[in-house]
Amino acid sequence: MPAVLDARAVALSVLNNRIFIGKEVRHHKMFDRWKKAVDEFDRDHDAGNFGTMLGELTYLIGEEAKADTNKL
């Protein structure tokens, strides 16, 4: 269980410490989405659902990164 808690802490730290993406993180409510994904997985251990939710977050991050790159 400590490894799970460490992984959660690292994920939240990454989102929290990346000031340059703060606006996008807040806009897409990524903290809330991440917490919901983890909480649901803790409750139901449904890896498929967790993967879907994580995939949605990954997609949003990629889209924001592409948008930022296009601004250069």
Side-chain angles (χ1 to χ4, degrees):
M1 190 65 140
V4 171
L5 296 176
D6 288 344
R8 285 184 189 185
V10 169
L12 290 175
S13 175
V14 167
L15 288 174
N16 196 38
N17 291 328
R18 302 310 189 258
I19 295 169
F20 60 92
I21 63 167
K23 180 180 171 186
E24 290 84 0
V25 167
R26 286 187 303 277
H27 174 76
H28 292 293
K29 299 180 180 175
M30 289 184 184
F31 283 116
D32 295 336
R33 289 173 183 231
W34 172 251
K35 184 176 181 331
K36 180 179 178 188
V38 171
D39 288 347
E40 284 187 21
F41 183 74
D42 281 347
R43 191 174 45 256
D44 62 18
H45 303 288
D46 184 342
N49 185 51
F50 180 75
T52 298
M53 295 174 87
L54 185 60
E56 291 170 359
L57 275 171
T58 302
Y59 174 79
L60 287 172
I61 291 167
E63 289 299 301
E64 290 298 333
K66 282 190 257 180
D68 284 346
T69 307
N70 291 335
K71 293 177 187 175
L72 298 177

